[in-house]
PDB file of all heavy atoms in Angstrom:
ATOM      1  N   ASP A   1     -23.313 -11.616  -1.976  1.00  0.00           N
ATOM      2  CA  ASP A   1     -24.260 -10.883  -2.826  1.00  0.00           C
ATOM      3  C   ASP A   1     -24.237 -11.397  -4.258  1.00  0.00           C
ATOM      4  O   ASP A   1     -25.281 -11.601  -4.868  1.00  0.00           O
ATOM      5  CB  ASP A   1     -23.927  -9.388  -2.844  1.00  0.00           C
ATOM      6  CG  ASP A   1     -24.451  -8.655  -1.643  1.00  0.00           C
ATOM      7  OD1 ASP A   1     -25.272  -9.231  -0.903  1.00  0.00           O
ATOM      8  OD2 ASP A   1     -24.040  -7.499  -1.449  1.00  0.00           O
ATOM      9  N   VAL A   2     -23.040 -11.599  -4.780  1.00  0.00           N
ATOM     10  CA  VAL A   2     -22.914 -12.084  -6.158  1.00  0.00           C
ATOM     11  C   VAL A   2     -23.503 -13.481  -6.282  1.00  0.00           C
ATOM     12  O   VAL A   2     -24.237 -13.780  -7.227  1.00  0.00           O
ATOM     13  CB  VAL A   2     -21.441 -12.045  -6.608  1.00  0.00           C
ATOM     14  CG1 VAL A   2     -21.253 -12.758  -7.936  1.00  0.00           C
ATOM     15  CG2 VAL A   2     -20.958 -10.611  -6.705  1.00  0.00           C
ATOM     16  N   VAL A   3     -23.224 -14.341  -5.324  1.00  0.00           N
ATOM     17  CA  VAL A   3     -23.757 -15.710  -5.371  1.00  0.00           C
ATOM     18  C   VAL A   3     -25.281 -15.698  -5.255  1.00  0.00           C
ATOM     19  O   VAL A   3     -25.983 -16.362  -6.022  1.00  0.00           O
ATOM     20  CB  VAL A   3     -23.120 -16.579  -4.261  1.00  0.00           C
ATOM     21  CG1 VAL A   3     -23.862 -17.887  -4.083  1.00  0.00           C
ATOM     22  CG2 VAL A   3     -21.669 -16.829  -4.564  1.00  0.00           C
ATOM     23  N   LEU A   4     -25.798 -14.941  -4.306  1.00  0.00           N
ATOM     24  CA  LEU A   4     -27.251 -14.883  -4.139  1.00  0.00           C
ATOM     25  C   LEU A   4     -27.933 -14.304  -5.371  1.00  0.00           C
ATOM     26  O   LEU A   4     -28.966 -14.816  -5.818  1.00  0.00           O
ATOM     27  CB  LEU A   4     -27.621 -14.054  -2.909  1.00  0.00           C
ATOM     28  CG  LEU A   4     -27.478 -14.737  -1.569  1.00  0.00           C
ATOM     29  CD1 LEU A   4     -27.633 -13.730  -0.437  1.00  0.00           C
ATOM     30  CD2 LEU A   4     -28.497 -15.846  -1.419  1.00  0.00           C
ATOM     31  N   THR A   5     -27.382 -13.255  -5.926  1.00  0.00           N
ATOM     32  CA  THR A   5     -28.019 -12.594  -7.066  1.00  0.00           C
ATOM     33  C   THR A   5     -27.964 -13.438  -8.318  1.00  0.00           C
ATOM     34  O   THR A   5     -28.983 -13.631  -8.982  1.00  0.00           O
ATOM     35  CB  THR A   5     -27.343 -11.232  -7.323  1.00  0.00           C
ATOM     36  OG1 THR A   5     -27.466 -10.437  -6.160  1.00  0.00           O
ATOM     37  CG2 THR A   5     -28.003 -10.520  -8.485  1.00  0.00           C
ATOM     38  N   THR A   6     -26.796 -13.933  -8.655  1.00  0.00           N
ATOM     39  CA  THR A   6     -26.649 -14.616  -9.940  1.00  0.00           C
ATOM     40  C   THR A   6     -27.025 -16.092  -9.897  1.00  0.00           C
ATOM     41  O   THR A   6     -27.625 -16.595 -10.851  1.00  0.00           O
ATOM     42  CB  THR A   6     -25.208 -14.479 -10.455  1.00  0.00           C
ATOM     43  OG1 THR A   6     -24.309 -15.016  -9.492  1.00  0.00           O
ATOM     44  CG2 THR A   6     -24.881 -13.027 -10.736  1.00  0.00           C
ATOM     45  N   LEU A   7     -26.704 -16.782  -8.819  1.00  0.00           N
ATOM     46  CA  LEU A   7     -26.944 -18.226  -8.789  1.00  0.00           C
ATOM     47  C   LEU A   7     -28.254 -18.615  -8.117  1.00  0.00           C
ATOM     48  O   LEU A   7     -28.933 -19.532  -8.572  1.00  0.00           O
ATOM     49  CB  LEU A   7     -25.780 -18.932  -8.094  1.00  0.00           C
ATOM     50  CG  LEU A   7     -24.413 -18.763  -8.749  1.00  0.00           C
ATOM     51  CD1 LEU A   7     -23.349 -19.453  -7.926  1.00  0.00           C
ATOM     52  CD2 LEU A   7     -24.432 -19.270 -10.168  1.00  0.00           C
ATOM     53  N   VAL A   8     -28.609 -17.953  -7.038  1.00  0.00           N
ATOM     54  CA  VAL A   8     -29.817 -18.341  -6.309  1.00  0.00           C
ATOM     55  C   VAL A   8     -31.064 -17.699  -6.914  1.00  0.00           C
ATOM     56  O   VAL A   8     -32.031 -18.370  -7.242  1.00  0.00           O
ATOM     57  CB  VAL A   8     -29.681 -17.987  -4.808  1.00  0.00           C
ATOM     58  CG1 VAL A   8     -30.963 -18.279  -4.058  1.00  0.00           C
ATOM     59  CG2 VAL A   8     -28.512 -18.747  -4.194  1.00  0.00           C
ATOM     60  N   TYR A   9     -31.031 -16.366  -7.077  1.00  0.00           N
ATOM     61  CA  TYR A   9     -32.217 -15.655  -7.565  1.00  0.00           C
ATOM     62  C   TYR A   9     -32.230 -15.469  -9.075  1.00  0.00           C
ATOM     63  O   TYR A   9     -33.243 -15.062  -9.633  1.00  0.00           O
ATOM     64  CB  TYR A   9     -32.333 -14.298  -6.873  1.00  0.00           C
ATOM     65  CG  TYR A   9     -32.493 -14.407  -5.388  1.00  0.00           C
ATOM     66  CD1 TYR A   9     -31.608 -13.759  -4.532  1.00  0.00           C
ATOM     67  CD2 TYR A   9     -33.504 -15.161  -4.824  1.00  0.00           C
ATOM     68  CE1 TYR A   9     -31.736 -13.868  -3.156  1.00  0.00           C
ATOM     69  CE2 TYR A   9     -33.640 -15.278  -3.452  1.00  0.00           C
ATOM     70  CZ  TYR A   9     -32.756 -14.617  -2.629  1.00  0.00           C
ATOM     71  OH  TYR A   9     -32.881 -14.729  -1.271  1.00  0.00           O
ATOM     72  N   ARG A  10     -31.117 -15.727  -9.739  1.00  0.00           N
ATOM     73  CA  ARG A  10     -30.998 -15.629 -11.200  1.00  0.00           C
ATOM     74  C   ARG A  10     -31.316 -14.231 -11.742  1.00  0.00           C
ATOM     75  O   ARG A  10     -31.943 -14.087 -12.778  1.00  0.00           O
ATOM     76  CB  ARG A  10     -31.889 -16.649 -11.890  1.00  0.00           C
ATOM     77  CG  ARG A  10     -31.701 -18.056 -11.444  1.00  0.00           C
ATOM     78  CD  ARG A  10     -30.681 -18.730 -12.303  1.00  0.00           C
ATOM     79  NE  ARG A  10     -30.667 -20.152 -11.973  1.00  0.00           N
ATOM     80  CZ  ARG A  10     -29.566 -20.828 -11.825  1.00  0.00           C
ATOM     81  NH1 ARG A  10     -28.424 -20.255 -11.995  1.00  0.00           N
ATOM     82  NH2 ARG A  10     -29.605 -22.089 -11.515  1.00  0.00           N
ATOM     83  N   TYR A  11     -30.886 -13.206 -11.024  1.00  0.00           N
ATOM     84  CA  TYR A  11     -31.011 -11.830 -11.499  1.00  0.00           C
ATOM     85  C   TYR A  11     -29.698 -11.416 -12.137  1.00  0.00           C
ATOM     86  O   TYR A  11     -28.635 -11.935 -11.802  1.00  0.00           O
ATOM     87  CB  TYR A  11     -31.321 -10.864 -10.358  1.00  0.00           C
ATOM     88  CG  TYR A  11     -32.677 -11.026  -9.745  1.00  0.00           C
ATOM     89  CD1 TYR A  11     -32.833 -11.007  -8.368  1.00  0.00           C
ATOM     90  CD2 TYR A  11     -33.812 -11.201 -10.513  1.00  0.00           C
ATOM     91  CE1 TYR A  11     -34.078 -11.149  -7.780  1.00  0.00           C
ATOM     92  CE2 TYR A  11     -35.060 -11.348  -9.946  1.00  0.00           C
ATOM     93  CZ  TYR A  11     -35.184 -11.315  -8.577  1.00  0.00           C
ATOM     94  OH  TYR A  11     -36.408 -11.459  -8.002  1.00  0.00           O
ATOM     95  N   PRO A  12     -29.754 -10.445 -13.044  1.00  0.00           N
ATOM     96  CA  PRO A  12     -28.480  -9.958 -13.606  1.00  0.00           C
ATOM     97  C   PRO A  12     -27.742  -9.082 -12.602  1.00  0.00           C
ATOM     98  O   PRO A  12     -28.350  -8.418 -11.763  1.00  0.00           O
ATOM     99  CB  PRO A  12     -28.920  -9.144 -14.826  1.00  0.00           C
ATOM    100  CG  PRO A  12     -30.316  -8.731 -14.525  1.00  0.00           C
ATOM    101  CD  PRO A  12     -30.910  -9.830 -13.681  1.00  0.00           C
ATOM    102  N   PHE A  13     -26.441  -9.100 -12.697  1.00  0.00           N
ATOM    103  CA  PHE A  13     -25.606  -8.244 -11.850  1.00  0.00           C
ATOM    104  C   PHE A  13     -25.749  -6.809 -12.350  1.00  0.00           C
ATOM    105  O   PHE A  13     -25.640  -6.551 -13.540  1.00  0.00           O
ATOM    106  CB  PHE A  13     -24.151  -8.699 -11.933  1.00  0.00           C
ATOM    107  CG  PHE A  13     -23.258  -7.999 -10.983  1.00  0.00           C
ATOM    108  CD1 PHE A  13     -23.201  -8.398  -9.658  1.00  0.00           C
ATOM    109  CD2 PHE A  13     -22.482  -6.931 -11.385  1.00  0.00           C
ATOM    110  CE1 PHE A  13     -22.361  -7.751  -8.754  1.00  0.00           C
ATOM    111  CE2 PHE A  13     -21.647  -6.292 -10.504  1.00  0.00           C
ATOM    112  CZ  PHE A  13     -21.595  -6.689  -9.192  1.00  0.00           C
ATOM    113  N   SER A  14     -26.006  -5.854 -11.447  1.00  0.00           N
ATOM    114  CA  SER A  14     -26.231  -4.470 -11.868  1.00  0.00           C
ATOM    115  C   SER A  14     -25.454  -3.502 -10.977  1.00  0.00           C
ATOM    116  O   SER A  14     -24.816  -3.889  -9.997  1.00  0.00           O
ATOM    117  CB  SER A  14     -27.717  -4.142 -11.830  1.00  0.00           C
ATOM    118  OG  SER A  14     -28.207  -4.260 -10.519  1.00  0.00           O
ATOM    119  N   TRP A  15     -25.535  -2.236 -11.307  1.00  0.00           N
ATOM    120  CA  TRP A  15     -24.773  -1.187 -10.617  1.00  0.00           C
ATOM    121  C   TRP A  15     -25.203  -1.010  -9.172  1.00  0.00           C
ATOM    122  O   TRP A  15     -24.435  -0.515  -8.360  1.00  0.00           O
ATOM    123  CB  TRP A  15     -24.916   0.135 -11.359  1.00  0.00           C
ATOM    124  CG  TRP A  15     -26.323   0.643 -11.342  1.00  0.00           C
ATOM    125  CD1 TRP A  15     -27.309   0.367 -12.240  1.00  0.00           C
ATOM    126  CD2 TRP A  15     -26.915   1.471 -10.351  1.00  0.00           C
ATOM    127  NE1 TRP A  15     -28.478   0.977 -11.872  1.00  0.00           N
ATOM    128  CE2 TRP A  15     -28.269   1.671 -10.709  1.00  0.00           C
ATOM    129  CE3 TRP A  15     -26.451   2.067  -9.187  1.00  0.00           C
ATOM    130  CZ2 TRP A  15     -29.141   2.432  -9.956  1.00  0.00           C
ATOM    131  CZ3 TRP A  15     -27.325   2.831  -8.436  1.00  0.00           C
ATOM    132  CH2 TRP A  15     -28.643   3.007  -8.830  1.00  0.00           C
ATOM    133  N   ASP A  16     -26.425  -1.365  -8.836  1.00  0.00           N
ATOM    134  CA  ASP A  16     -26.901  -1.121  -7.476  1.00  0.00           C
ATOM    135  C   ASP A  16     -26.202  -1.997  -6.438  1.00  0.00           C
ATOM    136  O   ASP A  16     -26.310  -1.731  -5.245  1.00  0.00           O
ATOM    137  CB  ASP A  16     -28.410  -1.249  -7.373  1.00  0.00           C
ATOM    138  CG  ASP A  16     -28.931  -2.604  -7.774  1.00  0.00           C
ATOM    139  OD1 ASP A  16     -28.170  -3.391  -8.353  1.00  0.00           O
ATOM    140  OD2 ASP A  16     -30.116  -2.879  -7.504  1.00  0.00           O
ATOM    141  N   HIS A  17     -25.475  -2.994  -6.868  1.00  0.00           N
ATOM    142  CA  HIS A  17     -24.672  -3.771  -5.922  1.00  0.00           C
ATOM    143  C   HIS A  17     -23.580  -2.906  -5.298  1.00  0.00           C
ATOM    144  O   HIS A  17     -23.241  -3.080  -4.135  1.00  0.00           O
ATOM    145  CB  HIS A  17     -24.034  -4.973  -6.620  1.00  0.00           C
ATOM    146  CG  HIS A  17     -25.007  -6.067  -6.876  1.00  0.00           C
ATOM    147  ND1 HIS A  17     -25.830  -6.069  -7.968  1.00  0.00           N
ATOM    148  CD2 HIS A  17     -25.305  -7.179  -6.171  1.00  0.00           C
ATOM    149  CE1 HIS A  17     -26.582  -7.145  -7.942  1.00  0.00           C
ATOM    150  NE2 HIS A  17     -26.285  -7.836  -6.853  1.00  0.00           N
ATOM    151  N   PHE A  18     -23.066  -1.976  -6.072  1.00  0.00           N
ATOM    152  CA  PHE A  18     -22.029  -1.089  -5.551  1.00  0.00           C
ATOM    153  C   PHE A  18     -22.587  -0.170  -4.459  1.00  0.00           C
ATOM    154  O   PHE A  18     -21.879   0.174  -3.519  1.00  0.00           O
ATOM    155  CB  PHE A  18     -21.409  -0.274  -6.680  1.00  0.00           C
ATOM    156  CG  PHE A  18     -20.706  -1.134  -7.689  1.00  0.00           C
ATOM    157  CD1 PHE A  18     -21.227  -1.310  -8.956  1.00  0.00           C
ATOM    158  CD2 PHE A  18     -19.531  -1.789  -7.356  1.00  0.00           C
ATOM    159  CE1 PHE A  18     -20.586  -2.114  -9.882  1.00  0.00           C
ATOM    160  CE2 PHE A  18     -18.882  -2.600  -8.274  1.00  0.00           C
ATOM    161  CZ  PHE A  18     -19.417  -2.766  -9.540  1.00  0.00           C
ATOM    162  N   VAL A  19     -23.858   0.193  -4.570  1.00  0.00           N
ATOM    163  CA  VAL A  19     -24.510   0.984  -3.522  1.00  0.00           C
ATOM    164  C   VAL A  19     -24.622   0.154  -2.245  1.00  0.00           C
ATOM    165  O   VAL A  19     -24.363   0.642  -1.143  1.00  0.00           O
ATOM    166  CB  VAL A  19     -25.893   1.468  -3.987  1.00  0.00           C
ATOM    167  CG1 VAL A  19     -26.640   2.179  -2.877  1.00  0.00           C
ATOM    168  CG2 VAL A  19     -25.767   2.367  -5.198  1.00  0.00           C
ATOM    169  N   THR A  20     -24.986  -1.098  -2.392  1.00  0.00           N
ATOM    170  CA  THR A  20     -25.077  -1.994  -1.241  1.00  0.00           C
ATOM    171  C   THR A  20     -23.711  -2.176  -0.592  1.00  0.00           C
ATOM    172  O   THR A  20     -23.593  -2.146   0.633  1.00  0.00           O
ATOM    173  CB  THR A  20     -25.634  -3.361  -1.669  1.00  0.00           C
ATOM    174  OG1 THR A  20     -26.894  -3.161  -2.308  1.00  0.00           O
ATOM    175  CG2 THR A  20     -25.802  -4.286  -0.496  1.00  0.00           C
ATOM    176  N   TRP A  21     -22.684  -2.331  -1.388  1.00  0.00           N
ATOM    177  CA  TRP A  21     -21.337  -2.506  -0.849  1.00  0.00           C
ATOM    178  C   TRP A  21     -20.843  -1.232  -0.174  1.00  0.00           C
ATOM    179  O   TRP A  21     -20.104  -1.297   0.806  1.00  0.00           O
ATOM    180  CB  TRP A  21     -20.384  -2.960  -1.938  1.00  0.00           C
ATOM    181  CG  TRP A  21     -20.770  -4.281  -2.541  1.00  0.00           C
ATOM    182  CD1 TRP A  21     -21.629  -5.212  -2.003  1.00  0.00           C
ATOM    183  CD2 TRP A  21     -20.359  -4.804  -3.778  1.00  0.00           C
ATOM    184  NE1 TRP A  21     -21.758  -6.279  -2.848  1.00  0.00           N
ATOM    185  CE2 TRP A  21     -20.989  -6.067  -3.947  1.00  0.00           C
ATOM    186  CE3 TRP A  21     -19.518  -4.351  -4.787  1.00  0.00           C
ATOM    187  CZ2 TRP A  21     -20.794  -6.855  -5.063  1.00  0.00           C
ATOM    188  CZ3 TRP A  21     -19.330  -5.152  -5.901  1.00  0.00           C
ATOM    189  CH2 TRP A  21     -19.953  -6.382  -6.029  1.00  0.00           C
ATOM    190  N   ALA A  22     -21.263  -0.072  -0.691  1.00  0.00           N
ATOM    191  CA  ALA A  22     -20.919   1.189  -0.019  1.00  0.00           C
ATOM    192  C   ALA A  22     -21.621   1.268   1.335  1.00  0.00           C
ATOM    193  O   ALA A  22     -21.068   1.789   2.303  1.00  0.00           O
ATOM    194  CB  ALA A  22     -21.303   2.374  -0.897  1.00  0.00           C
ATOM    195  N   TRP A  23     -22.849   0.742   1.426  1.00  0.00           N
ATOM    196  CA  TRP A  23     -23.552   0.691   2.705  1.00  0.00           C
ATOM    197  C   TRP A  23     -22.796  -0.209   3.682  1.00  0.00           C
ATOM    198  O   TRP A  23     -22.672   0.131   4.861  1.00  0.00           O
ATOM    199  CB  TRP A  23     -24.972   0.175   2.499  1.00  0.00           C
ATOM    200  CG  TRP A  23     -25.744   0.072   3.755  1.00  0.00           C
ATOM    201  CD1 TRP A  23     -26.437   1.062   4.381  1.00  0.00           C
ATOM    202  CD2 TRP A  23     -25.902  -1.094   4.571  1.00  0.00           C
ATOM    203  NE1 TRP A  23     -27.007   0.580   5.520  1.00  0.00           N
ATOM    204  CE2 TRP A  23     -26.693  -0.729   5.670  1.00  0.00           C
ATOM    205  CE3 TRP A  23     -25.443  -2.400   4.482  1.00  0.00           C
ATOM    206  CZ2 TRP A  23     -27.048  -1.629   6.669  1.00  0.00           C
ATOM    207  CZ3 TRP A  23     -25.793  -3.297   5.470  1.00  0.00           C
ATOM    208  CH2 TRP A  23     -26.582  -2.911   6.545  1.00  0.00           C
ATOM    209  N   TYR A  24     -22.281  -1.322   3.205  1.00  0.00           N
ATOM    210  CA  TYR A  24     -21.483  -2.195   4.064  1.00  0.00           C
ATOM    211  C   TYR A  24     -20.255  -1.447   4.589  1.00  0.00           C
ATOM    212  O   TYR A  24     -19.925  -1.538   5.772  1.00  0.00           O
ATOM    213  CB  TYR A  24     -21.013  -3.439   3.309  1.00  0.00           C
ATOM    214  CG  TYR A  24     -22.083  -4.389   2.852  1.00  0.00           C
ATOM    215  CD1 TYR A  24     -21.851  -5.262   1.801  1.00  0.00           C
ATOM    216  CD2 TYR A  24     -23.339  -4.422   3.456  1.00  0.00           C
ATOM    217  CE1 TYR A  24     -22.814  -6.145   1.373  1.00  0.00           C
ATOM    218  CE2 TYR A  24     -24.312  -5.304   3.022  1.00  0.00           C
ATOM    219  CZ  TYR A  24     -24.049  -6.156   1.977  1.00  0.00           C
ATOM    220  OH  TYR A  24     -25.009  -7.025   1.562  1.00  0.00           O
ATOM    221  N   ALA A  25     -19.582  -0.719   3.704  1.00  0.00           N
ATOM    222  CA  ALA A  25     -18.402   0.041   4.125  1.00  0.00           C
ATOM    223  C   ALA A  25     -18.794   1.131   5.118  1.00  0.00           C
ATOM    224  O   ALA A  25     -18.057   1.401   6.071  1.00  0.00           O
ATOM    225  CB  ALA A  25     -17.717   0.648   2.905  1.00  0.00           C
ATOM    226  N   GLY A  26     -19.956   1.745   4.916  1.00  0.00           N
ATOM    227  CA  GLY A  26     -20.424   2.760   5.852  1.00  0.00           C
ATOM    228  C   GLY A  26     -20.707   2.189   7.233  1.00  0.00           C
ATOM    229  O   GLY A  26     -20.399   2.817   8.253  1.00  0.00           O
ATOM    230  N   MET A  27     -21.279   1.015   7.285  1.00  0.00           N
ATOM    231  CA  MET A  27     -21.539   0.376   8.574  1.00  0.00           C
ATOM    232  C   MET A  27     -20.234   0.006   9.271  1.00  0.00           C
ATOM    233  O   MET A  27     -20.116   0.135  10.490  1.00  0.00           O
ATOM    234  CB  MET A  27     -22.408  -0.871   8.398  1.00  0.00           C
ATOM    235  CG  MET A  27     -23.814  -0.564   7.968  1.00  0.00           C
ATOM    236  SD  MET A  27     -24.709   0.409   9.166  1.00  0.00           S
ATOM    237  CE  MET A  27     -25.073  -0.818  10.385  1.00  0.00           C
ATOM    238  N   LEU A  28     -19.247  -0.452   8.518  1.00  0.00           N
ATOM    239  CA  LEU A  28     -17.941  -0.726   9.110  1.00  0.00           C
ATOM    240  C   LEU A  28     -17.301   0.559   9.626  1.00  0.00           C
ATOM    241  O   LEU A  28     -16.690   0.575  10.697  1.00  0.00           O
ATOM    242  CB  LEU A  28     -17.021  -1.391   8.087  1.00  0.00           C
ATOM    243  CG  LEU A  28     -17.263  -2.868   7.831  1.00  0.00           C
ATOM    244  CD1 LEU A  28     -16.458  -3.326   6.631  1.00  0.00           C
ATOM    245  CD2 LEU A  28     -16.917  -3.683   9.047  1.00  0.00           C
ATOM    246  N   GLY A  29     -17.445   1.641   8.864  1.00  0.00           N
ATOM    247  CA  GLY A  29     -16.916   2.927   9.306  1.00  0.00           C
ATOM    248  C   GLY A  29     -17.592   3.422  10.570  1.00  0.00           C
ATOM    249  O   GLY A  29     -16.940   3.965  11.469  1.00  0.00           O
ATOM    250  N   LEU A  30     -18.891   3.236  10.660  1.00  0.00           N
ATOM    251  CA  LEU A  30     -19.611   3.602  11.879  1.00  0.00           C
ATOM    252  C   LEU A  30     -19.128   2.752  13.051  1.00  0.00           C
ATOM    253  O   LEU A  30     -18.970   3.247  14.164  1.00  0.00           O
ATOM    254  CB  LEU A  30     -21.112   3.440  11.685  1.00  0.00           C
ATOM    255  CG  LEU A  30     -22.013   3.884  12.816  1.00  0.00           C
ATOM    256  CD1 LEU A  30     -21.811   5.361  13.113  1.00  0.00           C
ATOM    257  CD2 LEU A  30     -23.462   3.620  12.460  1.00  0.00           C
ATOM    258  N   GLY A  31     -18.883   1.489  12.808  1.00  0.00           N
ATOM    259  CA  GLY A  31     -18.330   0.626  13.850  1.00  0.00           C
ATOM    260  C   GLY A  31     -16.951   1.085  14.289  1.00  0.00           C
ATOM    261  O   GLY A  31     -16.610   1.006  15.468  1.00  0.00           O
ATOM    262  N   LEU A  32     -16.156   1.576  13.341  1.00  0.00           N
ATOM    263  CA  LEU A  32     -14.828   2.099  13.693  1.00  0.00           C
ATOM    264  C   LEU A  32     -14.939   3.311  14.611  1.00  0.00           C
ATOM    265  O   LEU A  32     -14.124   3.497  15.517  1.00  0.00           O
ATOM    266  CB  LEU A  32     -14.055   2.486  12.439  1.00  0.00           C
ATOM    267  CG  LEU A  32     -13.386   1.365  11.681  1.00  0.00           C
ATOM    268  CD1 LEU A  32     -12.836   1.876  10.357  1.00  0.00           C
ATOM    269  CD2 LEU A  32     -12.283   0.751  12.498  1.00  0.00           C
ATOM    270  N   THR A  33     -15.949   4.155  14.394  1.00  0.00           N
ATOM    271  CA  THR A  33     -16.124   5.317  15.264  1.00  0.00           C
ATOM    272  C   THR A  33     -16.585   4.905  16.657  1.00  0.00           C
ATOM    273  O   THR A  33     -16.356   5.629  17.613  1.00  0.00           O
ATOM    274  CB  THR A  33     -17.131   6.323  14.680  1.00  0.00           C
ATOM    275  OG1 THR A  33     -18.410   5.709  14.569  1.00  0.00           O
ATOM    276  CG2 THR A  33     -16.672   6.821  13.331  1.00  0.00           C
ATOM    277  N   LEU A  34     -17.218   3.754  16.757  1.00  0.00           N
ATOM    278  CA  LEU A  34     -17.663   3.250  18.058  1.00  0.00           C
ATOM    279  C   LEU A  34     -16.567   2.510  18.808  1.00  0.00           C
ATOM    280  O   LEU A  34     -16.758   2.154  19.962  1.00  0.00           O
ATOM    281  CB  LEU A  34     -18.860   2.313  17.874  1.00  0.00           C
ATOM    282  CG  LEU A  34     -20.118   2.919  17.280  1.00  0.00           C
ATOM    283  CD1 LEU A  34     -21.138   1.829  17.012  1.00  0.00           C
ATOM    284  CD2 LEU A  34     -20.681   3.970  18.199  1.00  0.00           C
ATOM    285  N   LYS A  35     -15.446   2.276  18.153  1.00  0.00           N
ATOM    286  CA  LYS A  35     -14.388   1.456  18.742  1.00  0.00           C
ATOM    287  C   LYS A  35     -13.920   1.984  20.099  1.00  0.00           C
ATOM    288  O   LYS A  35     -13.729   1.233  21.030  1.00  0.00           O
ATOM    289  CB  LYS A  35     -13.200   1.366  17.799  1.00  0.00           C
ATOM    290  CG  LYS A  35     -12.113   0.420  18.290  1.00  0.00           C
ATOM    291  CD  LYS A  35     -11.020   0.297  17.273  1.00  0.00           C
ATOM    292  CE  LYS A  35     -11.486  -0.657  16.224  1.00  0.00           C
ATOM    293  NZ  LYS A  35     -10.551  -1.629  15.767  1.00  0.00           N
ATOM    294  N   GLY A  36     -13.779   3.276  20.249  1.00  0.00           N
ATOM    295  CA  GLY A  36     -13.329   3.831  21.516  1.00  0.00           C
ATOM    296  C   GLY A  36     -14.389   3.788  22.601  1.00  0.00           C
ATOM    297  O   GLY A  36     -14.086   3.796  23.789  1.00  0.00           O
ATOM    298  N   ASN A  37     -15.654   3.711  22.210  1.00  0.00           N
ATOM    299  CA  ASN A  37     -16.749   3.727  23.169  1.00  0.00           C
ATOM    300  C   ASN A  37     -17.307   2.341  23.468  1.00  0.00           C
ATOM    301  O   ASN A  37     -18.296   2.230  24.174  1.00  0.00           O
ATOM    302  CB  ASN A  37     -17.887   4.604  22.646  1.00  0.00           C
ATOM    303  CG  ASN A  37     -17.458   6.040  22.486  1.00  0.00           C
ATOM    304  OD1 ASN A  37     -16.585   6.507  23.200  1.00  0.00           O
ATOM    305  ND2 ASN A  37     -18.046   6.722  21.523  1.00  0.00           N
ATOM    306  N   ALA A  38     -16.734   1.300  22.897  1.00  0.00           N
ATOM    307  CA  ALA A  38     -17.277  -0.037  23.082  1.00  0.00           C
ATOM    308  C   ALA A  38     -17.064  -0.499  24.515  1.00  0.00           C
ATOM    309  O   ALA A  38     -15.969  -0.425  25.059  1.00  0.00           O
ATOM    310  CB  ALA A  38     -16.619  -1.015  22.125  1.00  0.00           C
ATOM    311  N   GLY A  39     -18.125  -0.946  25.135  1.00  0.00           N
ATOM    312  CA  GLY A  39     -18.053  -1.439  26.504  1.00  0.00           C
ATOM    313  C   GLY A  39     -19.429  -1.890  26.956  1.00  0.00           C
ATOM    314  O   GLY A  39     -20.397  -1.838  26.206  1.00  0.00           O
TER     315      GLY A  39
END
């Protein structure tokens, strides 16, 4: 995210990146809840 934002798209780094990273953590957490049901 940092590389894409600052180097590729040349946008400033802002607070909304933390929201995106929280979404990533939420998806990992959802995957953890699926761990017992994976098959």
Side-chain angles (χ1 to χ4, degrees):
D1 279 348
V2 170
V3 167
L4 282 170
T5 301
T6 58
L7 299 177
V8 175
Y9 299 124
R10 307 269 188 224
Y11 292 136
F13 187 81
S14 62
W15 65 271
D16 59 348
H17 284 83
F18 297 109
V19 175
T20 304
W21 299 342
W23 179 84
Y24 295 157
M27 292 298 284
L28 283 170
L30 185 60
L32 280 172
T33 62
L34 297 173
K35 185 176 280 224
N37 297 331

